[in-house]
């Protein structure tokens, strides 16, 4: 099983949310459709802008916690190394966009 550390944003250099999940398409869908009340709904954090894959849940959780402690500038740098324009990566998740509309 894979585990994902993901970063979602409200827009380019907007509000950032960092989380961990074992089902990235489902979790991204939940955030983008405001299914779960909380931070991402309140701040309209719907755009998946970064994710990384881990094989061990403990490793994924440790990475999530490390990133959360980083400065905002470091988080932005991490995102922009792979996604310079903060494109929404939702459509690139294999088949998820069509299955969950």
């Amino acid at each position: 099983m894979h585990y994902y550390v993901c970063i979602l944003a409200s827009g380019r250099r907007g509000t950032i949310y960092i989380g961990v999940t074992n089902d990235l398409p489902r979790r991204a869908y939940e955030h983008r459709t405001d299914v779960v009340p909380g931070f991402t709904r309140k701040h309209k954090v719907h755009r998946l802008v970064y994710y990384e894959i881990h094989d061990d849940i403990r490793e994924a959780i440790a990475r999530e916690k490390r990133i959360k402690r980083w400065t905002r500038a470091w988080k932005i740098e991490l995102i922009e190394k792979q996604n310079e324009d903060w494109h929404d990566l939702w459509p690139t998740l294999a088949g998820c966009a069509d299955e969950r509309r």
Side-chain angles (χ1 to χ4, degrees), residues 14-47:
T15 303
I16 293 173
Y17 168 86
I18 302 164
V20 66
T21 182
N22 67 344
D23 187 342
L24 186 58
R26 175 190 51 81
R27 196 67 183 122
Y29 177 78
E30 289 172 352
H31 285 296
R32 69 190 299 107
T33 58
D34 291 330
V35 172
V36 180
F39 182 86
T40 57
R41 181 191 290 179
K42 179 180 178 185
H43 296 282
K44 298 180 177 27
V45 178
H46 300 142
R47 185 184 300 192

Side-chain angles (χ1 to χ4, degrees), residues 7-12 32 44-50 85-89:
I7 301 178
L8 291 95
S10 61
R12 189 167 197 273
R32 69 190 299 107
K44 298 180 177 27
V45 178
H46 300 142
R47 185 184 300 192
L48 177 65
V49 294
Y50 175 87
D85 295 322
W86 294 57
H87 292 293
D88 188 358
L89 303 176

Side-chain angles (χ1 to χ4, degrees), residues 7 9 11-14 16 18 49-52 63 67 70-86:
I7 301 178
R12 189 167 197 273
R13 294 192 171 216
I16 293 173
I18 302 164
V49 294
Y50 175 87
Y51 67 92
E52 53 189 53
R63 176 71 168 158
I67 294 171
W70 289 4
T71 66
R72 179 172 171 80
W74 292 355
K75 294 170 190 173
I76 289 171
E77 184 178 335
L78 177 67
I79 294 164
E80 291 182 350
K81 278 184 183 175
Q82 291 187 18
N83 187 358
E84 183 177 356
D85 295 322
W86 294 57

